[in-house]
Amino acid sequence: NGKALAPPSPEPYDMNSCAAELNELSRYADNAELMLNNAADHASHLEPGPSPVRIWPHHFDTAIYIQLTTSTAEDAPGIGAGLAVPDALYGEFYFYTYPWPRREIAGLPPLTCSGHYQRDGFFGASLPMSLVIEQDDQKACVMTFFEQTIEVFLGALR
């Protein structure tokens, strides 16, 4: 249109204007770390076992990886578990687990928690935050999801 663009503002937003949203994000991160540390404790009997909770830079999710062999091969079995940020799969935060190597597993038992098996976009299990928020005991819901799906995928990988 022939008009010069204004230079970018050195302050693209005011932190105070989004304090509530930042506090909510902080609570999500704190709760994810708590739940994933509990899931890691639940899987601590496995060798070599769970990684520390970390932010994985390729997806910005907060997650652990439960390594099941000492092999460094790309196809060495393991289980990923975490909290994903809103993405193309879900427009909201969601907890997930998946077996590695990723492959469809037939004959999975029904989940007793609010989560479901995910076959579109990736194979694993997911628990959208909107389903967690509906629960009376949110912590128990998430822990049941992690414990159950980790055991299901562990059985399928053995």
Side-chain angles (χ1 to χ4, degrees):
N1 63 12
K3 294 183 181 180
L5 295 174
S9 168
E11 297 177 357
Y13 56 88
D14 175 10
M15 293 286 284
N16 292 325
S17 69
C18 57
E21 291 85 357
L22 292 173
N23 285 331
E24 186 68 10
L25 285 174
S26 176
R27 284 190 291 276
Y28 274 50
D30 288 346
N31 288 332
E33 183 177 13
L34 174 69
M35 294 293 91
L36 289 165
N37 277 321
N38 287 341
D41 288 346
H42 177 75
S44 64
H45 66 284
L46 301 170
E47 292 292 332
S51 70
V53 175
R54 54 179 62 132
I55 303 293
W56 295 85
H58 56 293
H59 291 287
F60 301 110
D61 54 338
T62 304
I64 59 173
Y65 185 72
I66 304 166
Q67 193 171 333
L68 301 177
T69 68
T70 56
S71 171
T72 59
E74 178 74 18
D75 60 351
I79 299 167
L83 176 69
V85 298
D87 58 15
L89 190 59
Y90 289 102
E92 63 181 303
F93 286 85
Y94 61 96
F95 291 100
Y96 66 85
T97 56
Y98 65 87
W100 186 263
R102 292 188 185 203
R103 65 179 189 269
E104 184 82 21
I105 300 171
L108 294 171
L111 297 177
T112 59
C113 57
S114 295
H116 60 274
Y117 293 112
Q118 183 68 43
R119 290 180 167 83
D120 185 26
F122 78 97
F123 179 78
S126 58
L127 175 60
M129 194 60 69
S130 58
L131 295 179
V132 175
I133 291 170
E134 294 174 354
Q135 304 299 311
D136 290 332
D137 189 341
Q138 296 173 3
K139 181 178 179 182
C141 172
V142 175
M143 282 315 304
T144 299
F145 171 78
F146 279 139
E147 290 172 4
Q148 185 177 26
T149 58
I150 287 169
E151 290 302 318
V152 165
F153 293 143
L154 180 61
L157 290 170
R158 287 189 166 161

PDB file of all heavy atoms in Angstrom, residues 24-36:
ATOM      1  N   GLU A  24      -1.717 -18.898  35.342  1.00  0.00           N
ATOM      2  CA  GLU A  24      -2.346 -20.174  34.974  1.00  0.00           C
ATOM      3  C   GLU A  24      -1.344 -21.092  34.284  1.00  0.00           C
ATOM      4  O   GLU A  24      -1.283 -22.288  34.574  1.00  0.00           O
ATOM      5  CB  GLU A  24      -3.563 -19.924  34.077  1.00  0.00           C
ATOM      6  CG  GLU A  24      -4.364 -21.165  33.774  1.00  0.00           C
ATOM      7  CD  GLU A  24      -5.092 -21.746  34.979  1.00  0.00           C
ATOM      8  OE1 GLU A  24      -5.156 -21.112  36.055  1.00  0.00           O
ATOM      9  OE2 GLU A  24      -5.602 -22.872  34.849  1.00  0.00           O
ATOM     10  N   LEU A  25      -0.536 -20.547  33.381  1.00  0.00           N
ATOM     11  CA  LEU A  25       0.510 -21.347  32.730  1.00  0.00           C
ATOM     12  C   LEU A  25       1.488 -21.895  33.758  1.00  0.00           C
ATOM     13  O   LEU A  25       1.938 -23.047  33.664  1.00  0.00           O
ATOM     14  CB  LEU A  25       1.255 -20.517  31.683  1.00  0.00           C
ATOM     15  CG  LEU A  25       0.520 -20.267  30.384  1.00  0.00           C
ATOM     16  CD1 LEU A  25       1.323 -19.310  29.499  1.00  0.00           C
ATOM     17  CD2 LEU A  25       0.259 -21.572  29.654  1.00  0.00           C
ATOM     18  N   SER A  26       1.821 -21.097  34.731  1.00  0.00           N
ATOM     19  CA  SER A  26       2.722 -21.535  35.798  1.00  0.00           C
ATOM     20  C   SER A  26       2.111 -22.696  36.577  1.00  0.00           C
ATOM     21  O   SER A  26       2.793 -23.673  36.902  1.00  0.00           O
ATOM     22  CB  SER A  26       3.024 -20.353  36.729  1.00  0.00           C
ATOM     23  OG  SER A  26       3.818 -20.766  37.800  1.00  0.00           O
ATOM     24  N   ARG A  27       0.820 -22.626  36.867  1.00  0.00           N
ATOM     25  CA  ARG A  27       0.143 -23.731  37.563  1.00  0.00           C
ATOM     26  C   ARG A  27       0.138 -25.001  36.715  1.00  0.00           C
ATOM     27  O   ARG A  27       0.344 -26.102  37.226  1.00  0.00           O
ATOM     28  CB  ARG A  27      -1.280 -23.332  37.957  1.00  0.00           C
ATOM     29  CG  ARG A  27      -1.319 -22.402  39.175  1.00  0.00           C
ATOM     30  CD  ARG A  27      -2.737 -22.212  39.700  1.00  0.00           C
ATOM     31  NE  ARG A  27      -3.579 -21.448  38.802  1.00  0.00           N
ATOM     32  CZ  ARG A  27      -3.609 -20.118  38.760  1.00  0.00           C
ATOM     33  NH1 ARG A  27      -2.852 -19.399  39.555  1.00  0.00           N
ATOM     34  NH2 ARG A  27      -4.411 -19.495  37.915  1.00  0.00           N
ATOM     35  N   TYR A  28      -0.086 -24.862  35.412  1.00  0.00           N
ATOM     36  CA  TYR A  28      -0.036 -26.037  34.521  1.00  0.00           C
ATOM     37  C   TYR A  28       1.348 -26.676  34.588  1.00  0.00           C
ATOM     38  O   TYR A  28       1.470 -27.893  34.700  1.00  0.00           O
ATOM     39  CB  TYR A  28      -0.340 -25.628  33.077  1.00  0.00           C
ATOM     40  CG  TYR A  28      -1.802 -25.581  32.723  1.00  0.00           C
ATOM     41  CD1 TYR A  28      -2.731 -24.899  33.504  1.00  0.00           C
ATOM     42  CD2 TYR A  28      -2.280 -26.205  31.590  1.00  0.00           C
ATOM     43  CE1 TYR A  28      -4.070 -24.840  33.171  1.00  0.00           C
ATOM     44  CE2 TYR A  28      -3.624 -26.158  31.241  1.00  0.00           C
ATOM     45  CZ  TYR A  28      -4.503 -25.478  32.035  1.00  0.00           C
ATOM     46  OH  TYR A  28      -5.827 -25.435  31.695  1.00  0.00           O
ATOM     47  N   ALA A  29       2.391 -25.853  34.500  1.00  0.00           N
ATOM     48  CA  ALA A  29       3.755 -26.382  34.526  1.00  0.00           C
ATOM     49  C   ALA A  29       4.073 -27.046  35.863  1.00  0.00           C
ATOM     50  O   ALA A  29       4.653 -28.140  35.903  1.00  0.00           O
ATOM     51  CB  ALA A  29       4.757 -25.264  34.233  1.00  0.00           C
ATOM     52  N   ASP A  30       3.697 -26.410  36.959  1.00  0.00           N
ATOM     53  CA  ASP A  30       3.940 -26.993  38.283  1.00  0.00           C
ATOM     54  C   ASP A  30       3.201 -28.320  38.449  1.00  0.00           C
ATOM     55  O   ASP A  30       3.759 -29.299  38.949  1.00  0.00           O
ATOM     56  CB  ASP A  30       3.510 -26.035  39.391  1.00  0.00           C
ATOM     57  CG  ASP A  30       4.424 -24.837  39.550  1.00  0.00           C
ATOM     58  OD1 ASP A  30       5.551 -24.853  38.988  1.00  0.00           O
ATOM     59  OD2 ASP A  30       4.016 -23.872  40.220  1.00  0.00           O
ATOM     60  N   ASN A  31       1.929 -28.346  38.052  1.00  0.00           N
ATOM     61  CA  ASN A  31       1.149 -29.575  38.183  1.00  0.00           C
ATOM     62  C   ASN A  31       1.673 -30.675  37.264  1.00  0.00           C
ATOM     63  O   ASN A  31       1.697 -31.847  37.646  1.00  0.00           O
ATOM     64  CB  ASN A  31      -0.328 -29.308  37.922  1.00  0.00           C
ATOM     65  CG  ASN A  31      -0.974 -28.545  39.054  1.00  0.00           C
ATOM     66  OD1 ASN A  31      -0.552 -28.625  40.200  1.00  0.00           O
ATOM     67  ND2 ASN A  31      -2.006 -27.786  38.742  1.00  0.00           N
ATOM     68  N   ALA A  32       2.093 -30.321  36.055  1.00  0.00           N
ATOM     69  CA  ALA A  32       2.670 -31.315  35.148  1.00  0.00           C
ATOM     70  C   ALA A  32       3.930 -31.916  35.765  1.00  0.00           C
ATOM     71  O   ALA A  32       4.116 -33.140  35.739  1.00  0.00           O
ATOM     72  CB  ALA A  32       2.986 -30.685  33.794  1.00  0.00           C
ATOM     73  N   GLU A  33       4.781 -31.082  36.332  1.00  0.00           N
ATOM     74  CA  GLU A  33       6.006 -31.594  36.957  1.00  0.00           C
ATOM     75  C   GLU A  33       5.671 -32.536  38.111  1.00  0.00           C
ATOM     76  O   GLU A  33       6.257 -33.615  38.243  1.00  0.00           O
ATOM     77  CB  GLU A  33       6.885 -30.449  37.437  1.00  0.00           C
ATOM     78  CG  GLU A  33       8.196 -30.933  38.026  1.00  0.00           C
ATOM     79  CD  GLU A  33       9.116 -29.811  38.443  1.00  0.00           C
ATOM     80  OE1 GLU A  33       8.688 -28.647  38.515  1.00  0.00           O
ATOM     81  OE2 GLU A  33      10.287 -30.120  38.720  1.00  0.00           O
ATOM     82  N   LEU A  34       4.717 -32.156  38.941  1.00  0.00           N
ATOM     83  CA  LEU A  34       4.291 -33.004  40.054  1.00  0.00           C
ATOM     84  C   LEU A  34       3.769 -34.353  39.547  1.00  0.00           C
ATOM     85  O   LEU A  34       4.186 -35.419  40.022  1.00  0.00           O
ATOM     86  CB  LEU A  34       3.207 -32.294  40.870  1.00  0.00           C
ATOM     87  CG  LEU A  34       2.559 -33.118  41.977  1.00  0.00           C
ATOM     88  CD1 LEU A  34       3.542 -33.379  43.104  1.00  0.00           C
ATOM     89  CD2 LEU A  34       1.317 -32.402  42.493  1.00  0.00           C
ATOM     90  N   MET A  35       2.867 -34.337  38.576  1.00  0.00           N
ATOM     91  CA  MET A  35       2.279 -35.573  38.059  1.00  0.00           C
ATOM     92  C   MET A  35       3.316 -36.453  37.369  1.00  0.00           C
ATOM     93  O   MET A  35       3.310 -37.671  37.523  1.00  0.00           O
ATOM     94  CB  MET A  35       1.142 -35.267  37.078  1.00  0.00           C
ATOM     95  CG  MET A  35      -0.076 -34.591  37.699  1.00  0.00           C
ATOM     96  SD  MET A  35      -0.973 -35.647  38.863  1.00  0.00           S
ATOM     97  CE  MET A  35      -0.190 -35.233  40.398  1.00  0.00           C
ATOM     98  N   LEU A  36       4.227 -35.829  36.618  1.00  0.00           N
ATOM     99  CA  LEU A  36       5.243 -36.608  35.913  1.00  0.00           C
ATOM    100  C   LEU A  36       6.286 -37.178  36.870  1.00  0.00           C
ATOM    101  O   LEU A  36       6.777 -38.292  36.654  1.00  0.00           O
ATOM    102  CB  LEU A  36       5.897 -35.766  34.817  1.00  0.00           C
ATOM    103  CG  LEU A  36       4.961 -35.489  33.645  1.00  0.00           C
ATOM    104  CD1 LEU A  36       5.495 -34.375  32.774  1.00  0.00           C
ATOM    105  CD2 LEU A  36       4.732 -36.757  32.832  1.00  0.00           C
TER     106      LEU A  36
END
